[in-house]
Amino acid sequence: MDLFDRLLTEFHASLAKVRNLQDLEAVRTQFLSRKGLLAESRKGFSFQTASPDERKEFGASFNDAKAAMEEAIEKRKGDLERTERRSQIREVDITLPGERPARGSLHPLTIVQSFIEDIFASLGFRVAEGFEIENDYYNFIALNIPEDHPAREMQDTFWLDNGMILRTHTSACQVRMMEQVKPPFRFIFPGRCFRYETIDASHENTFYQLEGLMVDRNVTVAHLIAVMKGLLSRVFGRDVMVRLRPGYFPFVEPGFELDIQCLICGGPGCSTCKHSGWVELLPCGMVHPNVLRFGGIDPDEWTGFAFGLGLTRLVMMRYGISDIRVLNSGDLRVMKQFAPSL
Ligand code: DAH
């Protein structure tokens, strides 16, 4: 069947000239489409006059030629696609800066917490954590807050079905630690606390505190003040005036509210300090002898101070955040504004 041999020779000659996928498609149309050269070849063959054998042979040759062309086209197509992909890779400009992987940012609470941890570490404090799910004993009783004590009402508590509670303050870490280590010791306990509060711009049911506890021989209020002043001057980057007012907390005696002179107006009074010139920041005091006893520590030999820094509050002051709800919102538009790393 010279006809098909000729056609195939022609076909391979055209295929050899193909340089890209468009060329290839043109060759395919030329030979294999419904009105292509292969289909046309049937016109030169008279089916009426041919014998059954001749018809069969023609059909077989036709199909062979068609299959051979299709196969050759598929193969060439694969080759072309491969080289095309390779040439695309070669076109990458390796002198361009790479794409940076997306990088998260730290929550402002994390930033402030690490900063404060570093300050206390330099003062010889160790960092520890207690439990967010606590029992009544460590959260209240061991802190000199027996059942029926009115102080329990100061802290609206989430009670769990099993009788445990969500800790209302990091003070719950105090006696747990006293049971584990012998004095002298210094610890801070940063952590999440929970209270059954109605949420608004200044109240959250979930917030962070940073508890401090130092127990040693002859620890006095002077040590407490020195550590607090040192802390605050480093947090705010300048010397701050502090004052102590008496404050009542069952687990300290005497107990204080430590105020700082308002950093906005510097003393004369403004709306931030409610025109008093002072901002309440740090409740603290000398550890109550009963609490030391609950922790197995002899109050005649050891004394200590404790404080409960409102970490969430400090973050809000530090960054001028006026709505506490922003901090727990998980809103990336807010979080992205903070440093990507320490
Ligand atoms: N635990 C108290 C609270 O959450 C704060 C506090 C007050 C902690 C006085 C202390 C302290 O360690 O001495 O309201």
Side-chain angles (χ1 to χ4, degrees), residues 143 154-155 168-172 174 193 195 207 209 211-212 248-249 251-252 254-256 282-287 305-309:
L143 289 171
M154 286 159 61
Q155 304 184 351
T168 59
H169 51 185
T170 43
S171 305
Q174 288 192 18
C193 306
R195 291 194 198 166
F207 55 95
Q209 291 187 334
E211 188 84 7
Y248 175 68
F249 305 96
F251 35 94
V252 280
F256 307 105
L282 248 168
C284 53
M286 302 305 293
V287 181
F305 68 75
F307 59 89
L309 180 70

Side-chain angles (χ1 to χ4, degrees), residues 67-84:
M69 286 180 190
E70 280 171 351
E71 197 186 324
I73 283 184
E74 276 315 302
K75 184 175 173 303
R76 189 85 180 94
K77 192 171 170 205
D79 293 346
L80 283 170
E81 280 172 348
R82 230 168 295 131
T83 35
E84 214 152 279

Side-chain angles (χ1 to χ4, degrees), residues 16-65:
K17 289 191 210 123
V18 160
R19 291 283 159 267
N20 52 41
L21 288 168
Q22 279 109 305
D23 293 352
L24 186 67
E25 181 55 21
V27 171
R28 202 191 62 77
T29 314
Q30 191 192 356
F31 286 88
L32 285 167
S33 65
R34 261 198 313 140
K35 291 198 173 136
L37 292 175
L38 186 65
E40 297 286 314
S41 70
R42 273 185 295 210
K43 285 189 185 151
F45 184 76
S46 168
F47 286 90
Q48 279 92 351
T49 58
S51 70
D53 276 352
E54 280 170 339
R55 262 186 258 165
K56 212 166 152 194
E57 200 191 332
F58 181 87
S61 300
F62 179 93
N63 287 340
D64 286 350

